[in-house]
């Protein structure tokens, strides 16, 4: 129970940060990528502020604790391989981000004030994740059959 | 549609996002990646779906509280609904295979100096930029 309440509060902090930063505003995000047009460099500062805080904070956490407060261990990705799956997926994500102006972390905080557009985006995105997961499961089963 | 440069608010928002990422690691030992958190609440549910749903609910509710308290959030979507649907679908497929998005790779991964996250972030920033260029300057759909 403690874990659920704390996760909700941390989520609130995340959502507040996204809302204040301008990340949840597709017009601003698309202008950030429009270097050849109405360029708005604000998102550089979002990334800068988030990265500096996280890099410093992670160091502090990993240096001072051997395990998190409410879990047995730190769950860190162990895959080190840069492959076609990673790059292809990232390339696709960028295309979708450039088309819509929404990324997953910016869309969720916009649910309550973003009206129909953000709901359409989130519905399609969830369908995309579900579709990719079932395709992935299918291809793994076929691989196993060989 | 023009938007104004907001260095102070954007930096402050970024610091809050970073604080949330650090706290989630310190408390739950988890990467604050929206892709991973979301994937766990799409059926079949992951066994630890409850904290994920709580995080998502907190993220969705906080801006509404901020607006109710008199805060202002600039928001405009210069994109049609069909394009949002297509974009959303592509984002979903992309973040699944790319194993992360702006928050997981771009913030948490780069902060850990993960080579995978650095490669993924460079890739999606590049294709997002090329897509916006193509839509606005080649196809002439300037929004």
């Amino acid at each position: 129970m403690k874990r659920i309440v704390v996760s909700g509060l941390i989520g609130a902090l995340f959502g507040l940060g996204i809302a204040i930063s301008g990340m949840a505003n597709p017009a601003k995000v698309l202008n950030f990528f429009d270097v050849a047009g109405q360029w708005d460099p604000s998102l550089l500062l979002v990334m800068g502020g988030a990265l500096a805080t996280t890099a410093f904070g992670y160091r502090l956490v990993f240096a001072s604790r051997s395990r998190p407060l409410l879990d047995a261990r730190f769950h860190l990705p162990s895959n080190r391989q840069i492959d076609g799956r990673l790059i292809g997926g990232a390339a696709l994500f960028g295309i979708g981000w450039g088309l819509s102006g929404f990324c997953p972390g910016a869309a969720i905080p916009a649910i309550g004030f973003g009206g129909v557009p953000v709901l359409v985006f989130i519905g399609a995105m969830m369908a995309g994740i579900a579709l990719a997961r079932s395709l992935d499961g299918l291809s793994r089963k076929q691989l196993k059959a060989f | 549609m023009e938007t104004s440069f907001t260095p102070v608010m954007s930096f402050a928002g970024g610091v809050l996002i970073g604080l949330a990422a650090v706290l989630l690691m310190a408390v739950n030992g988890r990467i604050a990646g929206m892709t991973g958190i979301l994937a766990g609440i799409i059926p079949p549910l992951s066994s630890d779906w409850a904290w994920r749903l709580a995080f998502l609910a907190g993220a969705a509710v906080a801006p509404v509280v901020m607006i109710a308290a008199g805060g202002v959030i600039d928001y405009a979507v210069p994109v049609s609904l069909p394009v949002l649907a297509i974009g959303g679908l592509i984002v979903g497929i992309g973040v699944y295979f790319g194993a992360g998005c702006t928050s997981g790779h771009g913030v948490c991964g780069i902060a850990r100096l993960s080579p995978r996250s650095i490669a993924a972030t460079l890739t999606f920033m590049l294709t997002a930029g090329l897509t916006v260029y193509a839509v606005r300057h080649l196809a002439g759909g300037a929004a």
Side-chain angles (χ1 to χ4, degrees), chain A residues 14-15 18 24 102-113 118 121-122 125-126, chain B residues 34 38 41 55-61 63:
Chain A
F14 181 90
I18 292 283
F102 283 116
C103 62
I108 298 298
I111 286 179
F113 64 86
V118 74
F121 173 85
I122 291 174
M125 172 181 75
M126 306 269 277
Chain B
M34 197 49 96
L38 260 177
I41 63 142
F55 181 93
L56 295 169
V61 169

Side-chain angles (χ1 to χ4, degrees), chain A residues 51 54-56 58-59 62 74-80, chain B residues 25 30-31 104-118:
Chain A
L51 256 176
T54 309
F56 178 73
Y58 272 8
R59 272 171 177 260
F62 295 139
F74 293 112
H75 301 264
L76 298 174
S78 54
N79 186 348
R80 309 291 293 170
Chain B
M25 184 59 73
R30 293 285 177 173
I31 297 281
H105 281 314
V107 176
C108 299
I110 294 187
R112 296 193 307 125
L113 297 177
S114 153
R116 265 172 67 83
S117 289
I118 294 169

Side-chain angles (χ1 to χ4, degrees), chain B residues 4-16:
Chain B
S4 49
F5 181 46
T6 53
V8 176
M9 290 305 268
S10 288
F11 186 79
V15 169
L16 290 188

Side-chain angles (χ1 to χ4, degrees), chain A residues 3-28 30-34 36-43 45-59 61-62 65 67-71 73-77 79-83 85-106 108-118 120-121 124-133 135-137 140, chain B residues 1-32 34-35 38-45 48 50-52 54-64 66-67 72-79 81-103 105-117 119-121 123-133 135-137 143:
Chain A
R3 187 175 152 103
I4 292 171
V5 173
V6 175
S7 299
L9 292 175
I10 298 173
L13 195 62
F14 181 90
L16 212 58
I18 292 283
I20 290 173
S21 70
M23 280 296 289
N25 183 2
K28 201 170 179 67
L30 292 175
N31 282 351
F32 170 69
F33 287 116
D34 194 7
Q38 307 160 328
W39 193 44
D40 176 352
S42 304
L43 297 201
L45 285 130
V46 183
M47 288 296 277
L51 256 176
T53 308
T54 309
F56 178 73
Y58 272 8
R59 272 171 177 260
V61 171
F62 295 139
R65 301 194 55 90
R67 46 168 287 203
L69 288 168
L70 299 180
D71 201 295
R73 65 183 182 93
F74 293 112
H75 301 264
L76 298 174
N79 186 348
R80 309 291 293 170
Q81 211 177 352
I82 296 174
D83 51 16
R85 184 182 165 101
L86 175 79
I87 300 301
L92 269 183
F93 163 47
I95 292 171
W97 194 15
L99 282 175
S100 63
F102 283 116
C103 62
I108 298 298
I111 286 179
F113 64 86
V116 173
V118 74
V120 167
F121 173 85
M125 172 181 75
M126 306 269 277
I129 294 176
L131 180 72
R133 187 154 65 186
L135 285 176
D136 200 26
R140 281 183 190 188
Chain B
M1 184 183 304
E2 276 193 48
T3 54
S4 49
F5 181 46
T6 53
V8 176
M9 290 305 268
S10 288
F11 186 79
V15 169
L16 290 188
I17 295 167
L19 276 177
V22 173
L23 287 172
L24 197 67
M25 184 59 73
V27 175
N28 283 0
R30 293 285 177 173
I31 297 281
M34 197 49 96
T35 295
L38 260 177
I41 63 142
I42 297 174
L45 295 177
D48 62 344
W51 75 262
R52 296 165 185 272
F55 181 93
L56 295 169
V61 169
V64 177
M66 181 186 146
I67 292 170
V72 176
I73 301 171
D74 286 333
Y75 178 76
V77 188
V79 182
L81 292 182
V83 174
L84 283 174
I86 295 165
L89 195 67
I90 297 175
V91 166
I93 297 169
V95 296
Y96 176 82
F97 287 111
C101 53
T102 327
S103 47
H105 281 314
V107 176
C108 299
I110 294 187
R112 296 193 307 125
L113 297 177
S114 153
R116 265 172 67 83
S117 289
T121 305
T123 304
F124 63 65
M125 295 299 263
L126 179 71
T127 57
L130 290 174
T131 302
V132 170
Y133 185 81
V135 169
R136 292 196 170 174
H137 301 285

